[in-house]
Amino acid sequence: MRRTLFAGAAALLAAAGTFTFVLTRAEAATQTLQSLAAANGRYFGSATDNPELTDTAYTAILGGGEFGQTTPGNSMKWDTTEPTRNAFSFTKGDAVVTFAQAHNMKVRGHTLLWHNQLPGWVSQLPATEVQAAMENHITAVATHFRGKVFAWDVVNEPFNDDGTFRSTSPFYAAMGTDYIAAAFRTARAADPDAKLYINDYNTDGLGAKADAMYNLVKTLKSQGVPIDGVGFQAHLAIQYGFPSQMQQNLQRFADLGVDVAITELDVRMVLPRDSTKDATQATYYSNVVKACVAVTRCVGITIWDYTDKYSWVPSTFSGQGAALPWDENLQQKPTAYNAIVTALGGTVSSPSPSVSSASPSPSRSVSPSPSASSSPPPAGSCTATYKIVGSWPGGFQGEVNVTGKTGWTVTWTFANGQTISQLWGGTVTQSGASVTVKPASWNATPPATFGFLASWNGTNAIPAVSCS
Ligand code: 9MR
């Protein structure tokens, strides 16, 4: 519709001899991150927080059209909304909602249940009272914001990085994993219209923590628990590598019948900034946006505030920062901003630096090694390509890409005593040096990738890999 109108106007203006000039101005006037995301059926948002709402230069950009969605960084959390038992305060949350409504932005509610930013009285409750307090809190907060938020992060960060449940959560300590289903059921009863999400970090790519989340969501769905979505925070850092196979990871969750969203995106770096780091950061932004756009059920992207002026990063990671597409002076960073525009299908006025796919790498030192080359397999067969994506003393991360037929089996024999400790995207059997990998149910149809961690010593030769 917009394109048709635009083409008509452009034709008239071309006849008047002003085509190029007006086209450029019209593009500049209408193209924002939100308008581009909307053209893809998605939203593009920024978190915000109450102290920032008095900064008029900041709010001019926040509410100026770039963003169609916001998430309150702090003001809907338990320590703000119920600092004393059963005494609720919604003033700060309401202020964010009021700003959002005045500027055409929808609001993600964040968060009903988290082990952080909990008032002391919750942690001091006897175990027998935790469930009632939790349900009372969720009911009151979700009822208050009913009709004002389109989604809730019901449960935030339930997992440790190794995929075990976070036992330091007072809810887990009192109720075990049952707290999660109870929280979702309570939230649904209080606000039947909001999409209910579980949200975590370091689940963005394939790996043990993402597997744990995947298994949890699958179980919740099979039990009829009212969960609608999974949030991927995407707090990334260029020095740790891009998450492994993000798009495939999002897709396997979507295939469980839930929406997915990028909820807290930022891409930090070790300071100071330089052009190389900025270019890498732009690649990460581009890859995240492209992963979301490629997954039909990825509903939108939220950056965790839009400017370095109000980023949480420097106070948490000493010596790191510059994580957002606007700098601390509220100036757009052309590299990061243009990368997002381009990934959303927009055009940039000046050439943007070329953005290529970041390859995944672990947080430790990386020594890339050559991967076996392969040609397209004949019909009914398959081909596997093995590569080492990161290596450190005693350990390495491998990745195998499979093309060809559905329902593959990949085998190889290690020559140097390597032993796999963990594998994602498939199931592994290792018997001595012989390794056999079959796909996880969601990963049977190529192009498919699986990754693994393994030990090595002395030599780490690339094995000959077979696919059948
Ligand atoms: O942005 C939030 C920051 O202002 C708070 O100090 C911090 C306290 O833990 O929480 C930040 O937001 C977090 C979010 O709620 C959940 N995921 C991680 C975010 C960054 O810490």
Side-chain angles (χ1 to χ4, degrees):
M1 167 77 161
R2 196 168 74 87
R3 281 208 185 103
T4 314
L5 286 175
F6 193 74
L12 284 173
L13 292 164
T18 54
F19 182 84
T20 309
F21 172 68
V22 177
L23 182 68
T24 308
R25 287 193 49 192
E27 285 274 341
T30 56
Q31 180 179 283
T32 63
L33 301 182
Q34 171 58 25
S35 71
L36 292 168
N40 286 288
R42 287 158 177 78
Y43 60 80
F44 200 96
S46 166
T48 191
D49 206 355
N50 297 74
E52 303 156 28
L53 295 178
T54 55
D55 178 341
T56 51
Y58 166 88
T59 54
I61 297 172
L62 181 69
E66 290 283 6
F67 308 108
Q69 177 273 333
T70 192
T71 305
N74 288 300
S75 52
M76 293 184 186
K77 291 173 179 171
W78 195 316
D79 59 351
T80 303
T81 51
E82 194 188 4
T84 305
R85 192 169 187 179
N86 221 16
F88 290 91
S89 168
F90 299 117
T91 318
K92 290 183 171 176
D94 288 345
V96 174
V97 169
T98 300
F99 181 91
Q101 288 174 343
H103 296 89
N104 241 344
M105 302 162 85
K106 46 187 202 168
V107 180
R108 285 191 97 250
H110 175 81
T111 170
L112 293 171
L113 218 55
W114 191 24
H115 63 281
N116 270 338
Q117 289 177 276
L118 272 180
W121 66 265
V122 179
S123 323
Q124 286 153 19
L125 287 173
T128 49
E129 288 186 38
V130 169
Q131 183 164 1
M134 176 187 98
E135 293 179 352
N136 185 53
H137 177 79
I138 292 174
T139 300
V141 178
T143 301
H144 176 83
F145 290 109
R146 184 173 175 186
K148 296 173 182 165
V149 301
F150 73 97
W152 268 112
D153 287 328
V154 177
V155 172
N156 195 41
E157 302 175 6
F159 290 112
N160 296 311
D161 270 352
D162 63 1
T164 55
F165 280 98
R166 206 183 274 280
S167 55
T168 52
S169 155
F171 312 108
Y172 182 86
M175 300 171 62
T177 55
D178 289 352
Y179 87 90
I180 297 174
F184 276 91
R185 292 200 164 101
T186 308
R188 177 67 97 226
D191 184 350
D193 303 319
K195 298 282 187 192
L196 304 182
Y197 278 70
I198 194 162
N199 189 48
D200 214 326
Y201 62 91
N202 284 352
T203 49
D204 318 303
L206 297 176
K209 192 171 181 181
D211 283 351
M213 180 64 94
Y214 178 82
N215 291 329
L216 172 64
V217 174
K218 192 172 180 183
T219 303
L220 294 172
K221 291 285 287 180
S222 74
Q223 294 169 343
V225 174
I227 178 169
D228 304 306
V230 181
F232 298 83
Q233 294 184 7
H235 290 296
L236 307 183
I238 61 168
Q239 68 272 24
Y240 295 148
F242 192 78
S244 173
Q245 304 299 315
M246 187 172 201
Q247 180 187 325
Q248 280 175 278
N249 191 42
L250 298 180
Q251 187 63 56
R252 69 169 169 156
F253 280 90
D255 292 345
L256 289 177
V258 289
D259 289 342
V260 297
I262 307 299
T263 52
E264 304 183 15
L265 175 61
D266 49 23
V267 184
R268 63 186 187 269
M269 61 180 67
V270 174
L271 297 171
R273 275 175 74 190
D274 62 32
S275 56
T276 308
K277 292 177 192 172
D278 277 4
T280 305
Q281 178 188 59
T283 307
Y284 281 39
Y285 272 113
S286 171
N287 287 348
V288 172
V289 172
K290 283 181 183 167
C292 180
V293 169
V295 173
T296 308
R297 291 199 72 154
C298 185
V299 298
I301 299 161
T302 309
I303 50 178
W304 205 239
D305 226 314
Y306 71 85
T307 161
D308 295 337
K309 185 173 184 182
Y310 296 121
S311 170
W312 68 292
V313 168
S315 60
T316 304
F317 301 100
S318 172
Q320 298 181 44
L324 294 159
W326 276 258
D327 70 15
E328 62 279 6
N329 298 314
L330 305 178
Q331 299 302 305
Q332 264 176 27
K333 300 173 187 174
T335 39
Y337 182 86
N338 288 346
I340 297 171
V341 166
T342 307
L344 287 171
T347 51
V348 293
S349 42
S350 54
S352 69
S354 71
V355 172
S356 60
S357 275
S359 55
S361 59
S363 54
R364 290 150 282 206
S365 71
V366 177
S367 53
S369 67
S371 57
S373 65
S374 58
S375 50
S381 67
C382 56
T383 296
T385 310
Y386 175 111
K387 66 182 171 191
I388 296 171
V389 294
S391 170
W392 53 94
F396 71 103
Q397 181 176 338
E399 186 179 286
V400 177
N401 296 297
V402 183
T403 55
K405 67 173 182 139
T406 295
W408 44 268
T409 300
V410 171
T411 55
W412 69 84
T413 303
F414 280 128
N416 318 108
Q418 299 94 327
T419 304
I420 293 181
S421 57
Q422 194 183 104
L423 185 138
W424 51 95
T427 50
V428 63
T429 320
Q430 179 165 4
S431 169
S434 304
V435 176
T436 303
V437 179
K438 291 179 181 297
S441 56
W442 52 268
N443 205 21
T445 303
T449 298
F450 63 86
F452 61 87
L453 295 177
S455 62
W456 70 289
N457 267 305
T459 307
N460 190 10
I462 303 247
V465 175
S466 306
C467 189
S468 60

